[in-house]
Amino acid sequence: MKPLTLNLTVTGGTSILGIVFKIFKKGSTVPIIEMTKDGSFSHEFDLEDKTEYDLYIIGSNPIADNKKTVIKLDCDNFTFDSTSDKNPVTKTGKAYLVTYSFNTN
């Protein structure tokens, strides 16, 4: 198993609509895990070796002048697809969709 930690930090309050994250094995339409949070959190996944995954993170920022969300993945020796968002990524708008496609090698 390969560990992956999703760290999400919300500044300026809590998300007004919530933060949803879903992870899928490549090609599947059924998520391995799906959760909704309303503020900062850290979640650890134990993923299969040599498997491709898609991770989607959808959320809204707080209603505040200093609103922002920082999303960071901690993992070793994963190969990310060129279509993936940057890691880490900072979102300062009202809402966001962040996607990562990767192989656990």
Side-chain angles (χ1 to χ4, degrees):
M1 300 299 272
K2 293 272 202 153
L4 167 70
T5 303
L6 166 60
N7 296 298
L8 193 140
T9 305
V10 178
T11 302
T14 58
S15 172
I16 58 173
L17 298 176
I19 302 157
V20 177
F21 66 93
K22 298 182 181 190
I23 190 165
F24 300 83
K25 278 189 179 179
K26 183 76 81 181
S28 176
T29 59
V30 178
I32 295 168
I33 189 167
E34 175 179 353
M35 296 184 85
T36 302
K37 304 284 189 175
D38 62 1
S40 300
F41 67 91
S42 181
H43 187 87
E44 188 165 314
F45 304 91
D46 284 320
L47 304 175
E48 293 178 28
D49 284 340
K50 299 179 180 151
T51 305
E52 292 183 72
Y53 292 93
D54 292 312
L55 172 61
Y56 296 87
I57 305 157
I58 305 154
S60 63
N61 274 315
I63 299 174
D65 291 337
N66 65 336
K67 65 182 176 286
K68 75 174 178 181
T69 299
V70 177
I71 300 166
K72 183 175 187 297
L73 300 179
D74 289 326
C75 53
D76 289 326
N77 300 318
F78 285 21
T79 303
F80 287 86
D81 186 274
S82 62
T83 62
S84 294
D85 282 281
K86 293 180 182 176
N87 181 31
V89 64
T90 300
K91 297 296 185 177
T92 57
K94 291 180 180 179
Y96 51 86
L97 167 64
V98 175
T99 62
Y100 296 102
S101 295
F102 55 89
N103 189 318
T104 55
N105 297 324

